[in-house]
Amino acid sequence: CAGMENPGYRSGSVDSLRHRPSDVVVEDDDDDDEMVDIAGATLDFSNTDDDPPLGSGEYFVERGSRAGSMSGAGPGRLVDPLEDPLPGKSKDRDRHREIANKSRQSTVALLHSVSDAFSGWLLMLLVGLMSGALAGGIDIAAHWLTDMKEGLCLVGFWFNHEHCCWTSNETTFQERDRCPQWQSWAEIMTGTSEGALAYFVNYLMFLVWALLFALLAVTLVRAFAPYACGSGIPEIKTILSGFIIRGYLGKWTLIIKTITLVLAVSSGLSLGKEGPLVHVACCCANILCHLFTKYRKNEAKRREVLSAAAAVGVSVAFGAPIGGVLFSLEEVSYYFPLKTLWRSFFAALVAAFTLRSINPFGNSRLVLFYVEFHAPWHLVELGPFILLGIFGGLWGALFIRANIAWCRIRKSTRLGHYPVTEVLVVTALTGMLAYPNSYTRMGGAELISELFNDCSLLDSSQLCGYKQSNSTSGAGVGNGLADRPAGVGLYAALWQLALALVFKMMITVITFGMKVPSGLFIPSMAVGAIAGRLLGVGMEQLAYYNHDSAIFRGWCSPGADCITPGLYAMVGAAACLGGVTRMTVSLVVIMFELTGGLEYIVPLMAATMTSKWVADAFGREGIYEAHIRLNGYPFLEPKEEFQHSSLTADVMRPRRSDPPLAVLTQEGMTVEEVEALVESTHYSGFPVVVSQDSHRLVGFVLRRDLLISIDNARKRQEGVVGASQVVFTEHSPAPADDAPPPLRLRGIVDLSPFTVTDHTPMDITVDIFRKLGLRQCLVTHNGKLLGIITKKDILKHMANDCQQRPRLHPLQL
Amino acid sequence: VSPMKLKNAKSLICDLLQNSEDIRCKCICPPYRDIEGQIYKQNVSLKDCNCLHVVEPMPVDGKDVEAYCLRCECKFEERSSATIKVTIIMYLSILGLLLLYMVYLTLLEPMLKRRLFGHSQLIQSDDDVGDQQPFANAHNVLSHSHSRPNMLNKVEHAQQRWRRQVQEQRKSVFDRHVVLS
């Protein structure tokens, strides 16, 4: 047996309560809460029932047919469910064992076993391809729609501004953006392109288009898929930790999120695409899982695929595959074994490659903001970088507080009753205030690109409006880029940038969380980039006017190009994004994959660490954890600690005022009594004890399994009536002559439930819950069953305890 | 089939698939002496993408050409206009279809149902405030009153179930604000 065993099987077979903690251990059962939309997202139209997956009829037929074909008895024979091992828990292990055993029998079976092993990789390939294709389409459509607000291309309406002027022959630099094929709305409607009337018409058309896009986006979300709004990352974090939200990863959510993301981004709102792209990638993964039996039936394996899909999402958003994998590891996933690491990387690369071949950026670039300079930086500049880190941390803490407060207002007051109006008002406000300032009129990504880039000799943008030195005639050899005083253009740009900074800081607070798909990476990076650039230009001018001071004398001689403001913009962007999301390693890797600047890892790390420490001093949570807590999802934060030490006995149920624990005895109860007990309570499971007198523990049985087994037994087994005894032991006593035959239900009892004693400290119990992904745990005292503790009890206890949570020293993290 | 016709067909297909205007070489030349900064574009292939082929007309004379060209940066770029066209048209058609479906669901379908079945059968509707489909049980009434082929029944059943799901989602997101802040 050892020879044929494929190592992929062993790590892949998931058994929630039996494996060592180091394996992938996630429960594959359903919560008493809602379920993943298996029905809505299925691609085959055979089973569209949205009842629990163990719906009585289908489950047994399917197992029966599989068992039947294996033993050669034909598909008609139904396997007796009572002789089966535990449904759901060892299905995967059985399946693998059967395939491995059969593979020795014929070549076809061998191929089947090989294909089963490769199905995981094939699935990753498909996820990467689909996500890459969707992301490419989203990019192209978003660029086109954004430019649609400004004008129209006459040679083909599907071209955006850049592509329209692709073949134009304008040679002078000032006119590089104007070509006869592209006309702004003022030109089309009034025939002029200069003057007050043209400005007014352009302004008006900009607002009209922005409002139209926002209206379409919010009405589509409302009408077809309300789960498509927001970022998606908090909910995906919750899904990956075990809570299931029905319909969140379905096909309608995918379609609507894709379409409305383009509309939302193009409407000029201050939001980005990255969070929604993670959601889109996870939807693709969920939908593609239905093609593979191995993943369709097993929740735990599906969560591995979702972790990999989160990596794919970030990878296509930025063109940063390694950063995407690290982001999935750090921010999104709850369990991340090594196998998932390799597969995520594969999927992220496939997606990045697909994106590149679609070529949405138009010049075969993979990264979003390619940075062309490689100027060195000096140790003295670490001071300003740390300053930027402090700014990023402060802004992160402030943003989280403000955004959560605004979202709370939206949840509780009348503001929440008018989502469509809210979106329209915010879009109108953004459009009206953003249009006059050229730095807020351009989209977030374009703004960041411009801020990151250093001024080349030919750059005519306002940011490069330095006073030209007079040495153009003979000594053209000198480095004309360096060390120039600021000109009029640059001062104007600085004013506009400062106003843009204030505007963006305020508008992002009310934009994130609206009922349209919204991400927050790009707005945070924009805020940081503006701040960084301002500081960089300030440092540059300081160096120019103070060549002789002690700080600059050693390394910044006159005429040398010593300070690059673009680098400061990069560092500022990283600091602000780190302050908001509290990402560490993944942020640094994303930044240097985005910009290609490997020399700048040290400044990026310095700024990121400073910003995280400063932000953590004000509040422990990043924006996603804060939203999880705001919505009350049952997510056990891995970093929480308790202030008061307490024992399990304090948190478990039943408490003193509660009715006693509802238990089943291993024999001696009739079917009627069992059904009455189950129906009189709402619990999702019942412990089985030896007898009512001695509560020694036998096992744990789920409500759902109990009801289904009794139901089936009544229908199919002979002689089972209300008065039949329910027997959970292995050997039942011989029934009396006129008594009905007993109902043996040993097969559905979990004989190894997890237990803790009543004196176990709560810290250890919470750790057990987290690491093993449990939903409930039994509490014993001196070997006898005392009570039960569930995940919800723990969450309530943590919520109560966090009133006086101590501040962990930031350096401990 | 003559070889000429084959060649014509092949070139026609090639033209459809790859627009020859989709490649270009872009040379950026900074200011030199008293000549301003210029950008030159031409659609040449990768091997001809250098200063000498692209910069026309050359603004400097013989001996300065080399110095001028040394400062110019030439980049080869390509794009696929067919991909762009297909993507945009697909996006617009999907968007149009969704809008039409939305209009149908909110405006036309109630009117049609009312006209077909009269008012009386549809009085029992849910009392929910946020209920957008007051005739949500129309299909239940239908299935009792007429005998329909199985496929149509299934589709309607699926559509009803989907609508109920969307209603549930809408209630939890927009009305009660329990999910998604």
Side-chain angles (χ1 to χ4, degrees):
Chain A
C1 202
M4 285 305 292
E5 207 156 20
N6 191 327
Y9 290 163
R10 211 170 334 137
S11 55
S13 74
V14 178
D15 192 357
S16 58
L17 303 181
R18 288 167 201 264
H19 269 215
R20 305 178 302 278
S22 59
D23 274 351
V24 175
V25 183
V26 178
E27 272 203 295
D28 57 355
D29 284 329
D30 297 317
D31 208 355
D32 34 334
D33 298 312
E34 302 151 300
M35 287 165 283
V36 166
D37 185 17
I38 301 171
T42 187
L43 290 180
D44 58 72
F45 295 97
S46 54
N47 173 19
T48 54
D49 221 66
D50 59 352
D51 284 339
L54 293 182
S56 41
E58 292 101 20
Y59 168 76
F60 290 116
V61 167
E62 196 225 337
R63 286 208 62 111
S65 62
R66 197 166 49 191
S69 62
M70 278 180 289
S71 55
R77 179 180 165 245
L78 287 177
V79 175
D80 190 333
L82 304 178
E83 291 170 6
D84 244 6
L86 288 172
K89 294 210 165 104
S90 34
K91 258 196 288 194
D92 206 52
R93 263 192 316 182
D94 283 344
R95 195 182 66 88
H96 286 142
R97 215 177 288 135
E98 279 147 16
I99 291 177
N101 286 336
K102 268 202 77 178
S103 66
R104 279 173 260 175
Q105 293 172 10
S106 69
T107 324
V108 169
L110 180 64
L111 286 178
H112 179 59
S113 84
V114 168
S115 83
D116 188 75
F118 275 115
S119 62
W121 292 98
L122 183 61
L123 177 63
M124 290 292 134
L125 180 73
L126 290 176
V127 168
L129 286 174
M130 188 170 171
S131 308
L134 276 178
I138 290 176
D139 271 337
I140 294 178
H143 279 228
W144 175 68
L145 266 188
T146 312
D147 284 342
M148 175 75 101
K149 297 201 299 278
E150 292 175 11
L152 196 58
C153 185
L154 297 176
V155 285
F157 72 93
W158 54 86
F159 285 128
N160 64 355
H161 193 158
E162 188 193 340
H163 284 288
C164 200
C165 297
W166 178 272
T167 51
S168 74
N169 282 327
E170 272 64 35
T171 51
T172 61
F173 207 73
Q174 275 70 23
E175 291 182 13
R176 74 193 149 150
D177 278 340
R178 293 191 206 122
C179 57
Q181 296 98 335
W182 173 269
Q183 300 215 326
S184 66
W185 291 111
E187 282 172 10
I188 296 177
M189 295 166 87
T190 66
T192 61
S193 63
E194 303 290 329
L197 179 67
Y199 184 83
F200 179 69
V201 172
N202 275 331
Y203 199 164
L204 194 66
M205 288 304 293
F206 185 90
L207 275 180
V208 163
W209 281 113
L211 285 171
L212 178 69
F213 293 155
L215 178 69
L216 281 177
V218 71
T219 47
L220 280 176
V221 162
R222 187 158 204 273
F224 289 118
Y227 279 165
C229 60
S231 164
I233 293 186
E235 286 75 28
I236 290 182
K237 275 180 80 132
T238 324
I239 289 177
L240 284 176
S241 81
F243 177 63
I244 309 179
I245 307 178
R246 183 209 292 252
Y248 199 73
L249 299 176
K251 64 181 184 298
W252 274 102
T253 314
L254 174 66
I255 297 173
I256 295 297
K257 192 123 191 174
T258 312
I259 304 279
T260 51
L261 176 62
V262 174
L263 287 169
V265 166
S266 313
S267 70
L269 286 168
S270 170
L271 41 84
K273 317 204 260 310
E274 298 65 37
L277 274 176
V278 170
H279 189 183
V280 163
C282 287
C283 286
C284 291
N286 194 34
I287 291 175
L288 285 171
C289 275
H290 290 285
L291 298 177
F292 297 85
T293 327
K294 185 164 135 182
Y295 292 95
R296 187 178 354 162
K297 302 289 178 184
N298 197 329
E299 293 282 334
K301 292 187 83 61
R302 199 184 311 177
R303 280 190 202 115
E304 287 173 37
V305 178
L306 287 180
S307 286
V312 168
V314 173
S315 157
V316 294
F318 288 119
I322 308 178
V325 173
L326 286 172
F327 175 81
S328 172
L329 168 65
E330 188 180 356
E331 276 291 310
V332 175
S333 301
Y334 208 72
Y335 300 102
F336 203 87
L338 275 183
K339 182 179 79 148
T340 314
L341 187 70
W342 184 214
R343 292 193 181 192
S344 315
F345 192 56
F346 173 68
L349 271 185
V350 167
F353 176 70
T354 313
L355 189 63
R356 185 207 181 117
S357 54
I358 294 183
N359 199 4
F361 301 129
N363 47 6
S364 298
R365 271 193 337 226
L366 193 57
V367 292
L368 197 50
F369 317 119
Y370 191 65
V371 147
E372 311 243 337
F373 53 85
H374 295 281
W377 56 278
H378 192 266
L379 212 55
V380 171
E381 289 182 292
L382 271 182
F385 293 149
I386 291 188
L387 218 69
L388 280 175
I390 295 177
F391 171 77
L394 287 174
W395 186 75
L398 181 69
F399 175 80
I400 293 177
R401 292 243 176 112
N403 187 252
I404 294 293
W406 183 257
C407 288
R408 199 166 279 135
I409 290 178
R410 199 187 283 134
K411 267 168 103 89
S412 47
T413 65
R414 291 182 40 165
L415 177 64
H417 294 306
Y418 306 104
V420 180
T421 321
E422 183 194 354
V423 169
L424 287 178
V425 165
V426 171
T427 311
L429 195 67
T430 314
M432 282 197 301
L433 293 177
Y435 189 82
N437 188 343
S438 66
Y439 290 108
T440 43
R441 190 193 314 169
M442 56 173 98
E446 219 183 306
L447 173 65
I448 297 179
S449 278
E450 179 147 343
L451 291 172
F452 278 8
N453 265 307
D454 209 10
C455 293
S456 62
L457 274 175
L458 207 48
D459 216 328
S460 72
S461 74
Q462 265 191 321
L463 266 181
C464 299
Y466 294 94
K467 285 199 205 114
Q468 286 293 3
S469 51
N470 295 329
S471 60
T472 50
S473 46
V477 199
N479 194 352
L481 278 178
D483 202 35
R484 299 165 287 177
V488 177
L490 185 57
Y491 281 125
L494 290 180
W495 271 116
Q496 288 184 337
L497 276 179
L499 287 176
L501 179 67
V502 172
F503 170 72
K504 262 208 151 2
M505 277 177 25
M506 298 201 305
I507 204 84
T508 311
V509 170
I510 60 176
T511 309
F512 186 65
M514 277 203 308
K515 302 290 180 239
V516 286
S518 60
L520 77 47
F521 280 32
I522 294 278
S524 318
M525 286 173 71
V527 166
I530 296 178
R533 185 87 188 201
L534 287 174
L535 185 64
V537 169
M539 281 288 290
E540 194 186 29
Q541 296 306 302
L542 204 64
Y544 178 76
Y545 287 116
N546 295 314
H547 275 302
D548 298 328
S549 81
I551 317 175
F552 295 111
R553 197 181 323 154
W555 55 290
C556 206
S557 46
D561 180 13
C562 43
I563 296 192
T564 9
L567 173 62
Y568 285 71
M570 254 166 66
V571 171
C576 278
L577 187 56
V580 170
T581 57
R582 313 291 163 86
M583 286 158 50
T584 51
V585 180
S586 38
L587 178 61
V588 174
V589 173
I590 288 179
M591 283 307 294
F592 81 69
E593 271 188 305
L594 264 186
T595 56
L598 263 173
E599 297 91 354
Y600 306 125
I601 291 190
V602 175
L604 285 173
M605 274 197 66
T608 311
M609 287 201 312
T610 319
S611 110
K612 184 164 160 70
W613 286 336
V614 168
D616 277 346
F618 287 95
R620 296 270 321 282
E621 301 174 319
I623 183 79
Y624 299 127
E625 287 93 20
H627 273 270
I628 286 179
R629 198 157 57 88
L630 175 71
N631 286 321
Y633 299 143
F635 179 77
L636 276 181
E637 177 61 41
K639 299 177 250 178
E640 296 266 347
E641 278 192 13
F642 294 117
Q643 182 181 25
H644 309 289
S645 61
S646 43
L647 299 178
T648 311
D650 305 327
V651 180
M652 72 172 192
R653 298 203 167 265
R655 307 271 170 83
R656 250 162 247 224
S657 52
D658 290 340
L661 197 57
V663 296
L664 300 171
T665 55
Q666 67 175 355
E667 50 190 16
M669 292 182 79
T670 62
V671 170
E672 272 170 355
E673 285 171 1
V674 170
E675 279 178 331
L677 181 66
V678 167
E679 259 144 56
S680 65
T681 58
H682 294 294
Y683 306 137
S684 63
F686 300 92
V688 178
V689 296
V690 169
S691 69
Q692 285 288 353
D693 302 325
S694 95
H695 270 215
R696 280 185 293 140
L697 187 61
V698 173
F700 194 78
V701 63
L702 291 175
R703 175 202 194 93
R704 185 185 68 212
D705 296 342
L706 205 54
L707 287 176
I708 289 172
S709 310
I710 292 182
D711 215 26
N712 271 294
R714 277 186 191 258
K715 284 186 199 149
R716 296 194 184 128
Q717 252 197 323
E718 302 241 340
V720 169
V721 291
S724 305
Q725 295 276 326
V726 173
V727 167
F728 289 110
T729 54
E730 239 176 273
H731 305 290
S732 61
D737 287 334
D738 53 349
L743 177 57
R744 288 194 197 87
L745 289 183
R746 178 126 171 133
I748 61 170
V749 176
D750 175 15
L751 293 166
S752 61
F754 276 97
T755 58
V756 291
T757 66
D758 56 334
H759 281 284
T760 314
M762 268 311 284
D763 290 331
I764 296 187
T765 312
V766 174
D767 242 0
I768 292 177
F769 265 81
R770 259 188 221 135
K771 293 203 163 98
L772 298 180
L774 300 183
R775 289 225 168 74
Q776 72 278 324
C777 186
L778 297 169
V779 182
T780 60
H781 172 78
N782 291 348
K784 301 221 174 99
L785 179 67
L786 194 58
I788 188 170
I789 184 168
T790 65
K791 194 169 169 184
K792 288 186 179 163
D793 295 327
I794 292 194
L795 286 167
K796 270 188 224 157
H797 176 72
M798 287 168 83
N800 289 338
D801 184 82
C802 88
Q803 309 289 340
Q804 315 106 358
R805 212 168 357 135
R807 298 262 159 77
L808 262 202
H809 195 282
L811 286 173
Q812 280 177 304
L813 295 166
Chain B
V1 181
S2 69
M4 273 301 285
K5 278 193 192 166
L6 267 179
K7 208 164 144 204
N8 281 345
K10 205 159 67 156
S11 64
L12 185 66
I13 295 178
C14 268
D15 276 342
L16 280 177
L17 288 178
Q18 163 97 22
N19 196 350
S20 62
E21 284 186 356
D22 275 347
I23 55 173
R24 73 173 179 184
C25 185
K26 183 168 160 184
C27 285
I28 303 183
C29 295
Y32 179 74
R33 299 217 183 142
D34 44 355
I35 308 169
E36 292 181 334
Q38 310 261 36
I39 301 182
Y40 297 94
K41 292 179 215 165
Q42 267 207 25
N43 59 340
V44 292
S45 60
L46 184 55
K47 63 177 170 57
D48 291 333
C49 186
N50 50 32
C51 175
L52 299 168
H53 283 98
V54 172
V55 176
E56 276 174 19
M58 185 65 70
V60 293
D61 307 323
K63 350 186 224 44
D64 292 332
V65 165
E66 217 176 294
Y68 186 68
C69 270
L70 267 177
R71 297 156 66 95
C72 286
E73 273 178 42
C74 290
K75 263 193 306 195
F76 178 72
E77 295 174 348
E78 67 177 324
R79 69 170 182 185
S80 167
S81 54
T83 310
I84 296 176
K85 189 156 135 183
V86 164
T87 309
I88 300 289
I89 292 183
M90 253 183 9
Y91 178 79
L92 286 177
S93 36
I94 296 181
L95 183 64
L97 281 174
L98 282 175
L99 285 175
L100 283 177
Y101 192 38
M102 186 167 74
V103 166
Y104 167 73
L105 281 182
T106 50
L107 296 176
L108 292 180
E109 201 174 19
M111 271 196 322
L112 280 175
K113 291 286 179 290
R114 204 182 321 186
R115 214 176 296 168
L116 284 180
F117 296 109
H119 228 7
S120 54
Q121 282 184 351
L122 302 161
I123 298 186
Q124 69 275 24
S125 58
D126 290 341
D127 286 325
D128 294 332
V129 176
D131 197 323
Q132 294 268 340
Q133 284 97 28
F135 305 111
N137 61 347
H139 297 281
N140 292 342
V141 175
L142 267 181
S143 55
H144 293 317
S145 50
H146 300 272
S147 64
R148 279 164 159 233
N150 247 353
M151 188 58 179
L152 208 50
N153 241 353
K154 257 195 191 175
V155 166
E156 282 192 22
H157 192 53
Q159 199 200 22
Q160 276 308 104
R161 211 182 32 245
W162 170 69
R163 280 228 203 120
R164 257 179 286 143
Q165 272 179 13
V166 174
Q167 259 182 36
E168 272 305 310
Q169 289 180 10
R170 199 180 295 141
K171 266 196 271 212
S172 61
V173 173
F174 283 91
D175 299 332
R176 290 180 296 160
H177 291 278
V178 291
V179 192
L180 290 164
S181 63

